[in-house]
Amino acid sequence: MLTRVDSGLDGVVVADTALSEVDGQAGRLIVRGHSIGDLVATRGFEAVAAVLWDGLAEAGGDETAVRRGLGEARTRAWASVPALLAAARGLTPVEALRLSLAMLPDTDTLPAHLRVCGALPVALAAILRSATGAAPIAPDPALGTAQDLLRMIRGEPAPPVFERALDIYLGTVADHGFNASTCTARVAASTRAELVSAVLAGLCALKGPLHGGAPGPVLDMLDEIGTVEAAEPWFRRAFADGVRLMGVGHRIYKVRDPRADVLKAAVATLPSTAGRLAFAADIERAAIAALRAAKPKQRLDTNVEFYTALLLEALAIPRSAFTALFAVGRAAGWCAHVFEQERSGRIIRPQSNYVGPRPA
Ligand code: ACO
């Protein structure tokens, strides 16, 4: 009988990866040799995808080729939009995105990583427009993903400062070590399920509120708290009821998540965000102080989702679509991990400790 059980696989190392390192003590994220802040300081999603796919997949290492490939993939995905919208009626954005991936064949003339990363923004924009009764807008393959996604959602080009903020966001969240959704994608890839299926598995794991589902509830929390004065009693009640504060805490980071500052700075570049940002920063400070008092043994700090929420709100993305938008960025990382996993060749198959009855 196996004895030691760690239900969260806390501290268990199951793979070598050259893609990204999450240093939870130093509060540092390295993506293929670049610190995340430096990587997205002047470049965006296509550049980060090119870095992640370098040496692993077609167009990898070449930002221009990635941009061209994703543009072509978005155009290809546009043909499936009527069928997607017909089938997605009544679904939430992330459920509809799940459907859009499930509709993709495993193999086609265009490589699967490009088809996946091209299909997601087209599907998301069409779903958001259909929720307001508006007709979908066709992609423009000459644009970058962030620029085209905002244009397809809004029906007109967004101000450049909005495009840049979304580009920073998509690049910032593209990869993050062996998080729950990436691990799930790699488990599926380890069975040789192929890339589309592995990415779909990753999306399903991303959906939960403890992972990619947190940013919408961050805004709900800010709304419920309402004023800085109300924060402390609100947190006390939340702890008494066993409620978790969203956008706070992380399995690996024992200090502030470095992506929080990258995204906070991006929010500050957007018009009319100063008041909201100052309020959020006050609530953030109060939340961390309340957690330190209530749970002195835990080292809980702000995670990426807190300022994700502020940034996507400032871009006028509906809360219900935050997780789906996260998937648009993270898909680049899932694909890179699938390629890396396929090279290792071993099925990921841990064990369980049987505690049920045995035959007499
Ligand atoms: N609010 C209140 N208490 C918390 C929080 C939180 N956000 N996070 C952890 N804790 C407490 C737990 O209640 C527990 O306390 P206890 O020992 O008194 O029972 C202790 O910290 C340890 O909790 P675990 O669940 O074991 O910590 P774990 O490392 O497994 O959880 C997680 C990490 C799931 C991210 C957690 O911090 C959480 O639920 N955060 C809120 C949701 C969130 O923001 N998720 C997004 C994370 S970033 C991302 O995935 C992209």
Side-chain angles (χ1 to χ4, degrees):
M1 179 170 117
L2 301 167
T3 48
R4 190 180 166 275
V5 175
D6 189 329
S7 59
L9 297 181
D10 201 349
V12 176
V13 179
V14 297
D16 288 328
T17 179
L19 295 172
S20 58
E21 181 191 58
V22 181
D23 184 335
Q25 301 299 327
R28 195 174 54 203
L29 167 61
I30 293 173
V31 176
R32 297 202 99 174
H34 308 268
S35 91
I36 190 64
D38 295 344
L39 187 58
V40 300
T42 53
R43 296 186 283 175
F45 178 67
E46 274 73 12
V48 177
V51 164
L52 284 168
W53 298 342
D54 193 6
L56 294 171
E58 191 172 314
D62 182 344
E63 183 181 341
T64 310
V66 168
R67 201 181 155 96
R68 198 181 324 110
L70 292 181
E72 188 184 342
R74 288 198 304 280
T75 302
R76 181 87 66 96
W78 173 244
S80 304
V81 163
L84 173 66
L85 291 181
R89 221 163 273 134
L91 299 184
T92 65
V94 74
E95 289 167 345
L97 215 58
R98 201 174 59 193
L99 190 59
S100 74
L101 283 181
M103 287 167 72
L104 291 178
D106 277 324
T107 49
D108 205 327
T109 47
L110 201 61
H113 61 298
L114 297 175
R115 286 188 291 115
V116 159
C117 293
L120 291 174
V122 174
L124 178 57
I127 289 156
L128 290 181
R129 284 184 70 78
S130 102
T132 64
I137 304 277
D140 179 346
L143 302 179
T145 299
Q147 204 180 6
D148 205 19
L149 176 55
L150 282 178
R151 190 190 60 86
M152 288 188 285
I153 293 172
R154 297 161 70 102
E156 60 184 15
V161 73
F162 279 49
E163 294 168 352
R164 176 66 189 136
L166 183 61
D167 215 12
I168 290 172
Y169 170 71
L170 295 177
T172 301
V173 300
D175 197 42
H176 199 244
F178 236 72
N179 60 84
S181 57
T182 299
C183 179
T184 305
R186 285 187 76 135
V187 171
S190 82
T191 71
R192 303 187 185 169
E194 298 194 68
L195 188 138
V196 174
S197 301
V199 168
L200 176 53
L203 174 66
C204 293
L206 184 78
K207 179 172 175 282
L210 299 190
H211 188 18
V218 167
L219 293 186
D220 298 339
M221 179 178 80
L222 294 182
D223 289 350
E224 272 183 44
I225 294 173
T227 63
V228 178
E229 296 68 38
E232 206 267 323
W234 193 94
F235 292 138
R236 225 176 319 114
R237 271 197 310 278
F239 297 148
D241 295 346
V243 171
R244 287 188 175 216
L245 309 188
M246 292 289 125
V248 180
H250 199 275
R251 170 63 63 78
I252 309 296
Y253 290 121
K254 300 305 167 201
V255 296
R256 191 179 169 81
D257 183 333
R259 299 169 297 175
D261 287 325
V262 174
L263 298 184
K264 188 178 181 186
V267 182
T269 66
L270 296 170
S272 314
T273 51
R276 183 70 162 155
L277 205 49
F279 171 68
D282 283 342
I283 300 299
E284 179 196 4
R285 263 190 300 278
I288 303 302
L291 276 169
R292 295 217 167 121
K295 296 176 186 279
K297 290 206 181 104
Q298 306 295 334
R299 292 167 64 196
L300 301 166
D301 215 320
T302 314
N303 68 46
V304 66
E305 302 290 43
F306 197 87
Y307 287 101
T308 288
L310 275 283
L311 189 140
L312 300 185
E313 177 186 55
L315 295 178
I317 305 292
R319 285 175 202 194
S320 61
F322 286 2
T323 309
L325 195 56
F326 189 170
V328 173
R330 181 54 58 86
W334 289 332
C335 292
H337 278 274
V338 168
F339 292 128
E340 208 181 44
Q341 184 63 42
E342 285 173 345
R343 290 180 174 206
S344 96
R346 278 203 89 195
I347 190 165
I348 299 176
R349 202 297 188 194
Q351 297 188 51
S352 53
N353 200 18
Y354 179 66
V355 295
R358 294 182 184 279

